[in-house]
Amino acid sequence: MRPSHLALAVLVAAVWGVNFTVIEIGLDHFPPLLFSALRFLAAALPAVFLVGRPKVAWKWIVAVGLVLGVAKFGLLFVGMDAGMPAGLSSLVLQIQAVFTAAVAALTLGERPSRVRLLGMLVALAGIAVAAVDEGASGPLGAFALVVGAAACWGVSNVLTRKAAPPDALNFMVWVSTVPVLPLLALSLLTEGPARDLAALRALDWQGAGTVVYVAWITTVFGFGVWGFLLRHHPASTVAPFSLLVPVFGMSSAFLFLGEPVSPLRWCAAALLVGGVGLASRTPRGPAPAVSPGPTGVAPPDPTAAVPPDPTAAVSSDPTAAVRTPRPASRAG
């Protein structure tokens, strides 16, 4: 990989990692489901008018949009809003590689190798250590929601594998059109129109900036660059850079939000990243691997390994004392 492409790969990993901190800030301005809906709305418009018509059947766009956009991001944003720290969220989402392999084995008949099985067990051990750490300092319910989000991501990866989109960016933009209305409806039902309207009326440059970052920078820019790299290099060369995401996620949360990283969390990070690295190894031979892309959508590369995606936290986090208090609109 030439130096410029190496720099791009690291830049995208940094963009995705910092995204968790940006979303943490965004949750100061929006209820979680409304924030997620705005993220997809901004990712879809105006890009949907620039990428051309969909290149796969609508059933795949709708299926991935509901599982990835509504279920995965809905659980993730609500879990973050319920107290899951930004840095830990960036780490726990890596377990999506294990769920992807498990769902592919059940639905596609893809038998994981012994090395991949070992990696899955190591990654699960990392999740167990992270759960112990979070249970001692934060709400386990929020932790479980983020694990659930990772499971939904694994399902969406397999659906994307079945869809086999020839243009990953085109696919992601069209997928982004699907979750907007369901997420808005869920927000109105659960978060309430009064809270949503209050958040929109109080919108300032910082809140708007978080929406622009999570939509255009992490989704459109990040996904576009990731697709560019996959077109010029084997997926087995590009995919390992996604393991840098929790490094940037935990580092940015420490630097900008004051989130401490306990010894247990470092241990969980080592186990989880190492396990995902083993589970993501490209097998030799004809059997293809399931390959999620940067934002949870897989380029149709038969040699691809299994990377992650970007996204944050809130209240009963052990670092709450060093954060700016949430505005009243976050209540309820």
Side-chain angles (χ1 to χ4, degrees), residues 12-325:
V12 172
V15 163
W16 295 336
V18 173
N19 188 53
F20 289 86
T21 295
V22 173
I23 290 185
E24 167 73 6
I25 296 169
L27 287 171
D28 287 334
H29 298 266
F30 306 101
L33 294 176
L34 176 63
F35 189 20
S36 188
L38 293 175
R39 171 249 173 94
F40 283 107
L41 179 63
L45 298 176
V48 74
F49 299 109
L50 305 174
V51 296
R53 297 173 62 86
K55 294 178 171 59
V56 300
W58 269 102
K59 66 178 181 179
W60 299 118
I61 292 173
V62 172
V64 175
L66 292 176
V67 176
L68 178 71
V70 179
K72 184 253 182 172
F73 277 99
L75 289 171
L76 183 61
F77 277 46
V78 171
M80 296 168 185
D81 193 60
M84 187 68 169
L88 186 59
S89 296
S90 71
L91 177 64
V92 169
L93 273 183
Q94 303 304 312
I95 200 66
Q96 60 84 21
V98 174
F99 286 115
T100 299
V103 174
L106 291 173
T107 61
L108 303 180
E110 294 183 357
R111 298 182 61 183
S113 65
R114 291 182 180 180
V115 171
R116 184 163 290 181
L117 283 172
L118 175 62
M120 293 166 66
L121 290 174
V122 173
L124 288 172
I127 285 293
V129 172
V132 170
D133 181 48
E134 183 64 8
S137 57
L140 274 177
F143 183 93
L145 288 173
V146 175
V147 173
C152 291
W153 192 4
V155 174
S156 74
N157 288 335
V158 176
L159 288 172
T160 301
R161 164 70 182 283
K162 296 284 288 183
D167 183 334
L169 182 59
N170 172 283
F171 183 65
M172 187 60 201
V173 169
W174 281 103
V175 162
S176 295
T177 66
V178 175
V180 178
L181 292 180
L183 285 169
L184 282 175
L186 286 171
S187 179
L188 289 172
L189 286 172
T190 62
E191 295 164 348
R195 188 178 173 196
D196 287 351
L197 284 174
L200 293 174
R201 286 171 179 164
L203 183 64
D204 58 14
W205 67 268
Q206 189 179 62
T210 60
V211 173
V212 169
Y213 186 94
V214 299
W216 294 353
I217 305 300
T218 65
T219 302
V220 178
F221 170 78
F223 199 75
V225 171
W226 189 259
F228 166 81
L229 292 172
L230 285 173
R231 285 194 299 272
H232 288 80
H233 305 279
S236 56
T237 300
V238 179
F241 285 94
S242 66
L243 297 179
L244 294 174
V245 171
V247 175
F248 286 109
M250 295 172 71
S251 300
S252 63
F254 172 77
L255 290 173
F256 299 110
L257 302 177
E259 287 186 7
V261 183
S262 67
L264 267 182
R265 195 165 297 180
W266 280 120
C267 178
L271 288 170
L272 190 50
V273 172
V276 168
L278 285 174
S280 300
R281 289 185 60 183
T282 304
R284 295 180 180 179
V290 176
S291 168
T295 53
V297 178
D301 188 320
T303 65
V306 190
D309 170 317
T311 313
V314 45
S315 51
S316 42
D317 172 336
T319 63
V322 299
R323 297 187 187 173
T324 303

